[in-house]
Amino acid sequence: MWIFGIKGPSGFSASSTAEQVTQGIDATGLTAIVTGASSGIGTETTRVLALRGVHVLMAVRNIDAGRKVKEAILKEKPDAKIDIMELDLGSMASVRKFASEYESSGLPLNLLINNAGVMAPPFMLSQDNIELQFATNHLGHFLLTNLLLKIMKTTAHESQKEGRIVNVSSDGHWFAYREGIRFDKINDESSYNSLYAYGQSKLANILHANELAKRLKEEGVEITANSLHPGSIATNLTRHHSFVDGSCNHVLRGIASTS
């Protein structure tokens, strides 16, 4: 029924924009990291958080693309607090470097939006010789979250404000390999299926958030961890499949909001 824009219990529908959902919220004083902030959902998340007063750290692989997004947001909100930091989630060394530099900055961290991802490319290995989708979509974010968790716990305790960790997953998790996550065959090129591998990585996002939420609750830490399906949104995520990309964007222009 989401196609028809029917509102749910929250009062919002699939056609509700991020601006509408956050209307009236003053998030001044909060600090957030958004991965993959130079395009798609990451850009809109960055823009709306900045509009609401959040200091946003754009964690991006392409610094030049990040600068263009920042400049566009500053034209809309000149006093927006936005910084850019380089992060390649397909490289564990890059993730560790990012976390170390963030810790050295002395900044607090209230929100961690694990958004960046790649969908259904041909079989490729990351810099650490791990299948690219599993490395980028899950392992990079898993390591990043663990490395930043101490800062988030300290921030939540000192600010007395609940922290948030959000893994952007997908309904694609239903279409993982039959056995779920194939830990013993992550790099098996002979049986690689790009869409199943994508589903596998998105399933890992969900399991990560679920287990993390459980552990944080047991520790009594005021941080929530959640995963989400962002809905059918026209972005460049399906760029590796031109037919899927074209079909999705054509359909979405008619039935769904791209914001």
Side-chain angles (χ1 to χ4, degrees):
M1 301 300 287
W2 60 270
I3 292 177
F4 303 104
I6 295 176
K7 294 181 179 179
S10 66
F12 301 106
S13 72
S15 61
S16 298
T17 67
E19 285 193 45
Q20 291 170 339
V21 173
T22 59
Q23 189 65 43
I25 293 178
D26 181 4
T28 303
L30 300 183
T31 304
I33 290 175
V34 180
T35 70
S38 61
S39 65
I41 296 171
T43 292
E44 182 65 1
T45 300
T46 297
R47 186 184 74 84
V48 175
L49 287 177
L51 287 180
R52 303 304 176 223
V54 179
H55 178 191
V56 183
L57 278 293
M58 299 175 63
V60 299
R61 187 174 57 176
N62 187 324
I63 295 294
D64 288 337
R67 289 197 185 102
K68 291 178 181 178
V69 170
K70 177 180 177 179
E71 290 169 3
I73 295 173
L74 288 175
K75 288 181 180 179
E76 181 178 2
K77 184 177 173 59
D79 62 343
K81 296 183 66 177
I82 302 173
D83 289 306
I84 303 170
M85 293 180 66
E86 185 174 8
L87 173 64
D88 180 355
L89 287 156
S91 164
M92 299 302 104
S94 177
V95 173
R96 292 185 184 280
K97 181 174 182 289
F98 176 93
S100 177
E101 291 179 350
Y102 192 87
E103 183 176 10
S104 297
S105 73
L107 289 169
L109 183 57
N110 305 92
L111 311 169
L112 175 59
I113 314 296
N114 291 322
N115 161 76
V118 59
M119 179 180 178
F123 182 83
M124 288 186 275
L125 295 177
S126 71
Q127 293 184 33
D128 304 289
N129 292 317
I130 302 169
E131 189 277 310
L132 187 63
Q133 293 187 88
F134 198 74
T136 302
N137 298 351
H138 172 57
L139 292 180
H141 282 127
F142 182 89
L143 178 60
L144 179 68
T145 301
N146 283 348
L147 293 176
L148 295 175
L149 200 51
K150 181 179 178 181
I151 299 174
M152 292 199 72
K153 290 179 179 180
T154 299
T155 301
H157 176 71
E158 293 181 350
S159 67
Q160 294 298 298
K161 294 179 180 178
E162 185 179 79
R164 300 287 176 88
I165 298 170
V166 179
N167 287 349
V168 178
S169 181
S170 167
D171 267 358
H173 79 275
W174 290 109
F175 305 102
Y177 293 101
R178 180 176 297 181
E179 59 269 51
I181 299 176
R182 307 193 312 173
F183 289 106
D184 58 338
K185 295 182 179 179
I186 293 295
N187 286 358
D188 186 2
E189 184 176 1
S190 65
S191 61
Y192 176 77
N193 178 291
S194 61
L195 291 173
Y196 290 168
Y198 175 72
Q200 172 179 251
S201 70
K202 295 290 101 178
L203 175 60
N205 290 158
I206 295 171
L207 296 177
H208 173 212
N210 289 354
E211 181 62 25
L212 184 56
K214 176 184 175 183
R215 295 191 182 194
L216 291 170
K217 185 175 181 180
E218 289 173 348
E219 290 180 35
V221 178
E222 290 298 313
I223 300 174
T224 63
N226 298 277
S227 58
L228 63 86
H229 169 55
S232 300
I233 301 174
T235 69
N236 66 348
L237 186 63
T238 55
R239 60 190 177 277
H240 293 290
H241 285 257
S242 58
F243 173 76
V244 175
D245 190 36
S247 298
C248 285
N249 287 327
H250 176 74
V251 172
L252 289 169
R253 277 194 293 270
I255 64 175
S257 167
T258 59
S259 59

